[in-house]
Amino acid sequence: MHGKTAHELHSLLTNKKISALELTEAVISQIDKVESRVQAYVSINKDQAIKQAKAADERIKNNSNLTPLTGIPVAIKDNMCTKGMLTTCSSKILNNYIPPYNATIVDKIKAAGAVILGKTNMDEFAMGSSTENSGIHPTFNPWNTKTVPGGSSGGSAAAVAADEAILATGSDTGGSIRQPASFCGVVGFKPTYGRVSRYGLVAFASSLDQIGPLTKDVTDTAILMNVLAGHDPKDSTSVNLPVPDYQKALVNDVKKMKIGYIKELLGKGIDKDIKSEIQKAMKKFAELGAELIEVSLPSFEYAVATYYLIAPAEASSNLARYDGVKYGHRSKEAKDLLTMYYNTRREGFGNEVKRRIMIGTYALSAGYYDAYYLKALKVRTLIKEDFAKAFSQCDVLLSPTSPSVAFKVGEKAADPLSMYLSDIATIPVNLAGLPAISLPCGFSQGLPIGLQLVGQAFAEETVLRAAFTFEQNTDWHKQKPSL
Amino acid sequence: MKIDVEHVAKLARLGLSEEEKKLFADQLSAIFEFAEMLNKLDTKNTPPTSHAIPMKNVLREDKVVPCKNVEDILANAPEEEAHMFKVPRILE
């Protein structure tokens, strides 16, 4: 039963075919079976999960307060605060941090009656595209454990793909939900910036970060979105707009929908197998009655350079708080305050985090601010304008999620720039704050390929409808890795 | 291009080993040379975008509320004394 989706399990639970306790035990035994090869989790919460499953069974028995999440085992990315439970961001600098509060999305998931299984591995502070930058341990792709699961939400994507969780949360700053979803053959959704509260999400780049679901199909994405979305007075960037019922957006029909395929993301730099599977997906949409239009977003060429100035600039400021004073690691070599800062941060941060703090500090420093940071903010405007132009012609934009399938462990670890360039299809979407989904659309060398669909700000429903229609008319989401 | 890695590390309060200084000097140069491509774009009349979605200040009443989880907060302190965070010497 651990192989099923949340909506399938919900009917089994409410029809009393299975109990929440049996379900949680089945997922835990799957974790016991495969976790040594996948390493998706940084902490597992067995006793608490069993307790929560029993509480869910009470709710089901009394038929009180039931939600589609009641009794469903969920994994939480380890950059989302869980009260009384380690939240490390896969960093040595937070390896003993026990939050005194829950992130808003954790409160919401718990209130819905879900079972929290544990915290998933990630690139340290969400900086990376392979989960190799975890300060705890790497995670491996369930489809081929010699390859990476993508990142930074690699643990969440791998856990869902390996049936070690039914649902998972991720965060996406430059593709960190969609790219691992693509590499692991699951569905990953980044909502519009401001749609989901970031309260209790450890900040990386505050103008780009957004929380979203990683699931086995589009229906489960809509179900989890119904829980996550909504205004939160504790996050001043969360938007006070009414939240639709995302399940109602799941209509198997794209007739007359205008789908723009992005010229720049079907050209050079994209693997040939990926290009051909994406073209097949386009054909599928055309067969289903959608109108396909070629669109050009010339500023995309500049998106990676723009992102790798803006995101590190924000990160260098956000990560200044890790100073060994109030929580986390403190160096023992600390004869005075300044030495304590230097040594705490030297010992606590990994290489990629140090590199990005350095990039951001330099880009913001006196004499360089205008040339780098301000310039990047202006190019961000051009990228936003290119999207607006494209959306004057179409309803959703289509591209591959990643230019390649999962790469081998270690392959790009020594060359940060080539790792950064693998985010070319996902980064522009964060710069413009738009909603986007990645869903399975084929295979190359036995590894999954992801299709990305992007919508206008707060048009999550259009994206979900297009994705749902594609999924209902294909079988890619039903494929499972053999672990 | 040459970047003064030691100066940048000092601004970031980041201790670096000799190998890290060498590694970051090379990698930062490569990354900022790559970023030079942005200069191909004319942005003289383009306003900057700091947030993609329009943002405004959100204010609330400045009201005193009790802090209920002081013990949980202090439990994370590397060093604590009399309900305060303790740090090494600041002044000689």
Side-chain angles (χ1 to χ4, degrees):
Chain A
M1 66 183 103
H2 50 269
K4 293 192 183 302
T5 61
H7 58 94
E8 289 165 344
L9 291 164
H10 177 68
S11 29
L12 294 174
L13 285 166
T14 48
N15 293 327
K16 318 267 188 333
K17 297 269 195 283
I18 58 167
S19 72
L21 183 61
E22 284 166 349
L23 172 58
T24 292
E25 283 172 344
V27 177
I28 289 174
S29 76
Q30 174 71 358
I31 292 174
D32 290 341
K33 194 176 134 208
V34 302
E35 180 61 4
S36 64
R37 283 168 285 154
V38 179
Q39 302 187 170
Y41 285 92
V42 289
S43 55
I44 297 169
N45 189 21
K46 280 185 196 171
D47 296 345
Q48 286 294 322
I50 296 289
K51 248 187 237 166
Q52 291 166 9
K54 286 178 180 163
D57 277 330
E58 279 301 301
R59 276 166 83 154
I60 294 166
K61 197 176 99 194
N62 302 325
N63 200 13
S64 78
N65 212 357
L66 289 187
T67 81
L69 248 58
T70 307
I72 303 293
V74 180
I76 307 285
K77 187 176 179 179
D78 206 30
N79 59 353
M80 299 170 199
C81 286
T82 41
K83 187 176 179 175
M85 189 178 173
L86 273 178
T87 298
T88 70
C89 276
S90 293
S91 179
K92 290 197 171 70
I93 213 157
L94 281 178
N95 66 0
N96 56 1
Y97 176 59
I98 297 178
Y101 69 104
N102 277 330
T104 295
I105 66 105
V106 172
D107 272 339
K108 287 181 159 188
I109 289 170
K110 287 186 105 160
V115 172
I116 296 188
L117 290 165
K119 306 295 290 287
T120 55
N121 197 22
M122 54 189 278
D123 288 297
E124 184 180 359
F125 284 104
M127 297 177 187
S129 314
S130 68
T131 314
E132 292 167 292
N133 297 334
S134 166
I136 317 280
H137 55 66
T139 294
F140 303 104
N141 192 317
W143 289 90
N144 176 348
T145 52
K146 290 189 174 64
T147 67
V148 302
S152 68
S153 312
S156 286
V160 172
D163 296 326
E164 291 185 84
I166 308 303
L167 304 168
T169 63
S171 64
D172 191 315
T173 306
S176 280
I177 290 173
R178 290 160 287 154
Q179 185 255 23
S182 165
F183 280 15
C184 292
V186 300
V187 177
F189 186 54
K190 183 199 93 71
T192 311
Y193 182 82
R195 195 41 120 176
V196 176
S197 167
R198 294 184 295 112
Y199 179 75
L201 169 71
V202 178
F204 159 15
S206 309
S207 82
L208 302 162
D209 298 342
Q210 189 61 200
I211 292 173
L214 287 122
T215 65
K216 296 175 187 183
D217 69 5
V218 178
T219 303
D220 276 6
T221 288
I223 287 170
L224 189 47
M225 272 304 291
N226 278 346
V227 175
L228 299 178
H231 177 245
D232 179 9
K234 289 176 183 158
D235 172 6
S236 66
T237 64
S238 88
V239 177
N240 201 349
L241 282 177
V243 180
D245 178 350
Y246 293 110
Q247 264 188 283
K248 290 209 174 113
L250 305 178
V251 179
N252 183 357
D253 181 9
V254 289
K255 272 184 224 81
K256 300 215 170 109
M257 192 184 270
K258 288 183 181 162
I259 299 180
Y261 56 96
I262 301 171
K263 189 179 127 192
E264 284 77 11
L265 295 176
L266 285 169
K268 70 169 172 26
I270 309 293
D271 281 3
K272 122 177 151 308
D273 285 1
I274 293 199
K275 219 186 290 182
S276 88
E277 290 305 313
I278 295 296
Q279 278 158 348
K280 280 184 211 161
M282 286 159 51
K283 227 169 124 192
K284 187 59 140 182
F285 274 119
E287 279 167 29
L288 295 165
E291 188 185 333
L292 279 112
I293 309 161
E294 183 181 83
V295 294
S296 173
L297 291 99
S299 63
F300 270 31
E301 189 187 341
Y302 303 94
V304 174
T306 303
Y307 176 88
Y308 279 97
L309 293 170
I310 293 173
E314 294 187 19
S316 71
S317 167
N318 275 328
L319 272 63
R321 71 189 63 163
Y322 304 104
D323 58 3
V325 173
K326 298 181 295 300
Y327 44 74
H329 172 72
R330 175 187 290 188
S331 175
K332 290 196 170 56
E333 292 172 56
K335 63 176 170 45
D336 56 37
L337 189 67
L338 209 54
T339 325
M340 192 271 275
Y341 290 156
Y342 282 119
N343 290 332
T344 294
R345 290 161 67 79
R346 177 175 57 81
E347 294 164 13
F349 290 135
N351 247 335
E352 183 61 30
V353 175
K354 286 179 185 163
R355 184 157 40 240
R356 297 210 198 178
I357 290 174
M358 295 284 288
I359 295 170
T361 303
Y362 183 68
L364 290 173
S365 65
Y368 300 99
Y369 181 93
D370 285 5
Y372 293 116
Y373 181 64
L374 189 63
K375 180 78 189 184
L377 293 185
K378 289 177 170 185
V379 179
R380 185 176 186 181
T381 306
L382 299 178
I383 292 166
K384 220 188 130 183
E385 286 170 354
D386 265 6
F387 271 114
K389 232 178 279 168
F391 280 119
S392 70
Q393 303 168 56
C394 56
D395 305 306
V396 290
L397 294 173
L398 174 152
S399 75
T401 306
S402 169
S404 73
V405 290
F407 42 87
K408 287 201 181 70
V409 174
E411 189 181 317
K412 296 190 184 195
D415 183 358
L417 201 52
S418 91
M419 186 83 91
Y420 297 171
L421 284 166
S422 71
D423 301 333
I424 174 68
T426 48
I427 275 175
V429 179
N430 297 76
L431 290 169
L434 304 173
I437 200 164
S438 176
L439 69 161
C441 76
F443 286 87
S444 168
Q445 305 144 49
L447 291 164
I449 297 173
L451 170 71
Q452 178 176 249
L453 299 169
V454 187
Q456 301 196 55
F458 303 104
E460 277 88 3
E461 292 160 284
T462 315
V463 176
L464 290 172
R465 178 178 182 148
F468 180 74
T469 304
F470 182 81
E471 188 183 81
Q472 291 300 301
N473 292 281
T474 54
D475 283 328
W476 302 115
H477 62 292
K478 291 182 183 149
Q479 313 292 319
K480 294 265 183 195
S482 53
L483 262 167
Chain B
M1 83 188 277
K2 185 108 182 77
I3 292 171
D4 185 350
V5 168
E6 268 178 66
H7 173 66
V8 179
K10 202 173 141 196
L11 291 175
R13 300 288 184 267
L14 195 57
L16 294 181
S17 67
E18 287 309 312
E19 295 98 85
E20 281 173 327
K21 283 179 198 162
K22 167 96 188 51
L23 180 74
F24 289 154
D26 293 346
Q27 289 178 340
L28 260 61
S29 296
I31 288 160
F32 281 95
E33 274 162 29
F34 174 69
E36 294 289 332
M37 74 187 294
L38 299 186
N39 293 326
K40 285 195 274 177
L41 291 169
D42 179 8
T43 53
K44 241 188 312 206
N45 300 312
T46 310
T49 296
S50 58
H51 274 87
I53 308 297
M55 288 286 150
K56 57 177 190 332
N57 265 336
V58 179
L59 302 173
R60 62 165 168 78
E61 199 191 337
D62 188 12
K63 206 170 60 186
V64 178
V65 290
C67 180
K68 289 180 196 145
N69 46 6
V70 177
E71 297 307 323
D72 291 344
I73 292 168
L74 286 167
N76 279 297
E79 229 181 310
E80 183 239 323
E81 200 175 298
H83 267 206
M84 286 182 278
F85 298 106
K86 195 173 172 188
V87 294
R89 177 187 297 278
I90 295 171
L91 297 169
E92 279 304 315

